[in-house]
């Protein structure tokens, strides 16, 4: 079986079955739908396999079309939209059981010098070494970890703020959240693996910011949640096996949809990735 990190790397190692066509595993899980971060990460692997190594990905824009079924392989069809002098564009369609479940467009850019350099500063938060891991914090409180926790095992995730466990603690809580994260072991040096591993992880906690003012992030949920779309911009190289700070906030939730955005910084304070996502939040019956 290997470690959870080994399993993540194996999950991102797609089988090429034809020119521009790849197949990925979908793990058996006791959950109703495939994890969106898995499909996004695999789709980006498929796109990256058709691009020269000197052109790293600089952005992706994706839509979750239908829920995937755990345990059923997913086929990724790559459309080579553009191979320009500086930019390369790929469109990827994820197909499961003959139906499209996910669509992604990714753009790759050959690095070049620029005349403008600025960024928002990294927030001042506790260092990851001074914070408990989410698995330890949640396990000590709940005793039994929820079934979806298997998706998080490849990563060490640490919340920068104390977790809330009851509605009584939510008074004045803003629609914000933040975590330190890194893989629970070293990754291969291939930059595409690091980008795709972080794409996988970026879908795990971003929508926490939408829920933070209305319910505890762990424990019994009052909403059925689903990712609707996902966008990422990759500004600088990074390693997903080094600590990264993922700050998240939600500017609006309305009409059963919540918008969340995030900035990801490395330990040096460099902004390496920006993320945006909209999620669907439907109240569960009887709650």
């Amino acid at each position: 079986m290997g470690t959870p990190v080994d399993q993540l790397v194996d999950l991102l190692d797609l089988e090429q079955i034809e020119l521009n066509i790849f197949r990925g595993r979908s793990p058996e899980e006791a959950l109703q739908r495939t994890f969106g971060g898995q499909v996004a990460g695999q789709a980006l692997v498929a796109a990256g396999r058709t691009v020269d190594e000197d052109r790293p990905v600089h952005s992706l824009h994706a839509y979750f079309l239908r829920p995937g079924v755990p345990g059923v392989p997913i086929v990724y069809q790559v459309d080579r939209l553009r191979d320009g002098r500086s930019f390369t564009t790929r469109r990827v369609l994820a197909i499961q059981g003959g139906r499209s479940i996910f669509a992604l467009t990714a753009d790759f850019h050959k690095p070049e010098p620029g005349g403008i350099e600025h960024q928002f500063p990294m927030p001042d938060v506790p260092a990851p070494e001074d914070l408990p891991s989410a698995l330890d914090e949640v396990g000590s409180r709940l005793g039994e970890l929820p079934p979806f926790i298997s998706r998080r095992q490849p990563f060490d995730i640490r919340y920068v703020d104390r977790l809330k466990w009851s509605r009584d603690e939510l008074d004045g809580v803003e629609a914000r959240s933040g975590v330190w994260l890194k893989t629970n072991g070293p990754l291969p040096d291939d930059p595409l693996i690091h980008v795709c591993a972080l794409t996988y992880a970026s879908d795990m906690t971003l929508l926490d910011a939408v829920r933070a003012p209305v319910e505890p992030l762990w424990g019994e949920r009052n909403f059925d949640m689903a990712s609707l779309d996902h966008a990422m911009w990759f500004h600088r190289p990074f390693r997903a096996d080094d600590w990264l700070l993922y700050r998240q906030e939600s500017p609006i939730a309305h009409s059963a949809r919540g918008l969340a955005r995030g900035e990801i910084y490395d330990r040096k304070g460099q902004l390496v990735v920006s993320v945006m996502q909209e999620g669907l939040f439907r109240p569960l019956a009887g709650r």
Side-chain angles (χ1 to χ4, degrees), residues 8-19:
L8 174 64
V9 172
D10 184 59
L11 194 66
L12 296 174
D13 186 19
L14 304 186
E15 174 191 5
Q16 184 164 4
I17 57 178
E18 184 54 86
L19 181 67

Side-chain angles (χ1 to χ4, degrees), residues 56-253:
V57 62
H58 81 86
S59 69
L60 67 83
H61 302 263
Y63 285 92
F64 298 91
L65 305 176
R66 294 182 179 89
V69 180
V72 178
I74 302 172
V75 172
Y76 297 90
Q77 295 183 348
V78 181
D79 189 1
R80 302 184 184 222
L81 296 182
R82 172 177 61 169
D83 288 289
R85 288 181 295 178
S86 299
F87 290 89
T88 297
T89 307
R90 297 291 185 260
R91 181 169 56 205
V92 183
L93 199 60
I95 300 170
Q96 190 183 57
R99 305 177 75 196
S100 300
I101 64 170
F102 179 81
L104 172 143
T105 300
D107 212 41
F108 300 76
H109 178 215
K110 187 174 183 179
E112 58 185 275
I116 301 175
E117 292 282 342
H118 63 77
Q119 68 161 67
F120 286 164
M122 184 174 77
D124 185 15
V125 300
E129 294 83 3
D130 298 328
L131 299 167
S133 75
L135 291 184
D136 290 343
E137 192 172 5
V138 173
S140 64
R141 177 74 184 205
L142 300 182
E144 182 175 325
L145 294 173
F148 65 81
I149 205 69
S150 62
R151 299 168 172 175
R152 303 193 178 201
Q153 286 178 340
F155 293 88
D156 187 346
I157 297 175
R158 306 187 179 198
Y159 285 90
V160 300
D161 297 313
R162 184 180 64 83
L163 288 173
K164 310 295 190 295
W165 297 101
S166 71
R167 289 179 177 272
D168 296 337
E169 300 176 84
L170 299 180
D171 186 38
V173 171
E174 296 182 331
R176 302 176 188 274
S177 183
V179 297
W180 286 101
L181 61 83
K182 69 178 182 70
T183 57
N184 263 317
L187 291 171
D189 290 332
D190 182 358
L192 182 63
I193 294 296
H194 290 262
V195 166
C196 295
L198 188 60
T199 299
Y200 177 105
S202 68
D203 188 41
M204 291 193 297
T205 61
L206 184 54
L207 294 180
D208 284 355
V210 180
R211 299 170 49 232
V214 297
E215 67 177 4
L217 300 182
W218 292 85
E220 187 177 49
R221 291 186 176 180
N222 296 298
F223 296 89
D224 183 27
M225 297 170 25
S227 302
L228 296 175
D229 54 23
H230 198 78
M232 301 180 72
W233 294 264
F234 302 92
H235 310 304
R236 294 183 173 100
F238 61 86
R239 291 190 66 94
D241 51 9
D242 288 338
W243 285 115
L244 298 167
L245 175 64
Y246 193 6
R247 290 294 285 177
Q248 302 144 140
E249 62 181 355
S250 174
I252 186 171

Side-chain angles (χ1 to χ4, degrees), residues 4-74:
V5 175
D6 293 334
Q7 294 172 38
L8 174 64
V9 172
D10 184 59
L11 194 66
L12 296 174
D13 186 19
L14 304 186
E15 174 191 5
Q16 184 164 4
I17 57 178
E18 184 54 86
L19 181 67
N20 301 329
I21 301 177
F22 301 83
R23 180 165 51 209
R25 293 190 307 103
S26 185
E28 288 278 3
E29 296 178 307
L31 296 164
Q32 62 180 357
R33 51 179 171 250
T34 303
F35 174 47
Q38 170 207 315
V39 184
Q42 288 180 331
L44 187 55
V45 169
R49 291 272 188 88
T50 69
V51 178
D52 291 341
E53 292 183 358
D54 65 344
R55 297 193 177 198
V57 62
H58 81 86
S59 69
L60 67 83
H61 302 263
Y63 285 92
F64 298 91
L65 305 176
R66 294 182 179 89
V69 180
V72 178
I74 302 172

